Amino acid sequence: MRPRYYFGILLIAAGSTLALAGNTSQILKLTVPKVVLIDIDPAIPFSFAQGAKNASGNSLLSISSNDPQAKLQITPSGLNLAVTSEVLGCPTEASTTTIICKVGVTRTKGAVLAFNATQIGSAPNIVYTISD
Amino acid sequence: MKTFYYTLTIALLGSTGTTHAADTVTQNIDLTIPLVELIDVENISPTFDFSAPSNAGDGFAAPEGVTSSVAITSNNPNAQLDVHTSSNINGIDLKISSTSGICDSSTLSDRLSTAPQYCSVGKRQTSSGSLTISAEPSGGNGMIPYGTYSTDIIYTLTQN
């Protein structure tokens, strides 16, 4: 009888159910500074013709504001003033005292800020103030 | 020297004709390879400081992205990398702007959110991968409510 030799090697690669840690994380920190920049050009876009009491005009309005509470106060002197803007939330009524327009988080460049003014005193003027 | 060589050859051939009793031997060798899925991302706390615009009408520019080294050891052909954030930030888009040496075929959209996104990692051993995270104002408006924000980016190697 001829000898026969069988050398069998069975290789078994068994996957274990053991799972090693497969997760990690990064903690991101982001800082955004407060900014409220408003440019109105020109500041007073109207003038009164000789003997006239009413005038109107448009200014270009640019805003960079990231304060949800930001407001623009428009204070006329010697004027009954109405302002209109599609960007700002302004009251529609004309006023002789401070007009408060909501700015909030807004960015715009070259929007229209329309004025209608009635002169009620001497040396008419407009002062702009930004507030929270 | 030549004579010795021939003699030895004959002797070896002759020995194969020797009769032995039948004998079968089988060795079963079990090898256990554990499932390994390890990932490490350095720079665990990147910071992004936005600079305020200086002119009315301008928006915030995106700060420079932060690149982190990534090490992966995976012996699972089906391993995928799940990337998502713990929370969304109003007004800011977080993005993975590049993944180098991490994914076979990346299906990561560049905008991160709380929804998992996956890319195929498979079997991989690398300590020279990298990824770049960037932050920028969302919606093209360029304006972000002011404040300090924090969120986690969570990286998980999944088993399938």
Side-chain angles (χ1 to χ4, degrees):
Chain A
M1 182 173 179
R2 201 168 183 84
R4 287 180 289 183
Y5 298 96
Y6 296 102
F7 294 100
I9 299 176
L10 179 61
L11 300 178
I12 300 174
S16 166
T17 56
L18 174 66
L20 299 180
N23 63 77
T24 186
S25 63
Q26 288 180 303
I27 304 170
L28 269 61
K29 297 186 186 306
L30 305 99
T31 303
V32 182
K34 183 191 286 190
V35 58
V36 181
L37 298 171
I38 299 178
D39 184 51
I40 298 169
D41 186 30
I44 301 177
F46 54 85
S47 59
F48 295 96
Q50 188 74 26
K53 291 293 184 181
N54 297 314
S56 62
N58 294 338
S59 293
L60 293 180
L61 173 66
S62 296
I63 301 174
S64 295
S65 168
N66 67 349
D67 179 0
Q69 305 303 320
K71 300 175 183 66
L72 174 64
Q73 297 185 14
I74 304 172
T75 305
S77 55
L79 293 170
N80 187 26
L81 186 67
V83 293
T84 307
S85 169
E86 292 184 353
V87 177
L88 301 176
C90 301
T92 55
E93 301 83 13
S95 176
T96 57
T97 59
T98 299
I99 299 167
I100 298 176
C101 300
K102 178 175 169 46
V103 177
V105 179
T106 305
R107 178 184 170 223
T108 189
K109 202 164 195 171
V112 172
L113 183 62
F115 295 79
N116 276 302
T118 301
Q119 186 171 1
I120 58 173
S122 59
N125 194 21
I126 300 174
V127 175
Y128 300 95
T129 308
I130 297 169
S131 65
D132 285 340
Chain B
M1 195 65 179
K2 251 183 189 176
T3 304
F4 173 75
Y5 174 78
Y6 293 140
T7 304
L8 179 61
T9 302
I10 292 167
L12 287 173
L13 290 172
S15 70
T16 60
T18 307
T19 300
H20 294 277
D23 189 9
T24 300
V25 176
T26 301
Q27 272 189 314
N28 291 324
I29 301 175
D30 293 342
L31 299 97
T32 301
I33 313 294
L35 176 63
V36 179
E37 291 182 345
L38 296 172
I39 181 168
D40 184 42
V41 179
E42 70 158 8
N43 193 4
I44 61 170
S45 188
T47 60
F48 295 90
D49 295 324
F50 286 82
S51 298
S54 54
N55 297 311
D58 291 347
F60 283 90
E64 191 171 347
V66 175
T67 299
S68 303
S69 295
V70 178
I72 290 177
T73 298
S74 166
N75 65 349
N76 177 4
N78 298 318
Q80 290 187 301
L81 176 62
D82 162 13
V83 184
H84 65 275
T85 61
S86 60
S87 60
N88 296 321
I89 300 174
N90 180 32
I92 297 177
D93 284 345
L94 296 175
K95 297 185 173 183
I96 288 188
S97 52
S98 74
T99 55
S100 173
I102 298 173
C103 303
D104 286 330
S105 56
S106 179
T107 54
L108 295 174
S109 88
D110 60 357
R111 182 177 175 183
L112 295 174
S113 71
T114 54
Q117 296 183 48
Y118 301 93
C119 72
S120 175
V121 171
K123 290 189 292 182
R124 188 173 300 267
Q125 185 268 314
T126 181
S127 57
S128 59
S130 68
L131 56 82
T132 301
I133 301 295
S134 59
E136 61 185 57
S138 62
N141 180 264
M143 202 46 58
I144 311 164
Y146 78 91
T148 301
Y149 305 94
S150 178
T151 190
D152 294 348
I153 299 181
I154 301 161
Y155 305 91
T156 304
L157 286 177
T158 66
Q159 293 189 26
N160 49 41

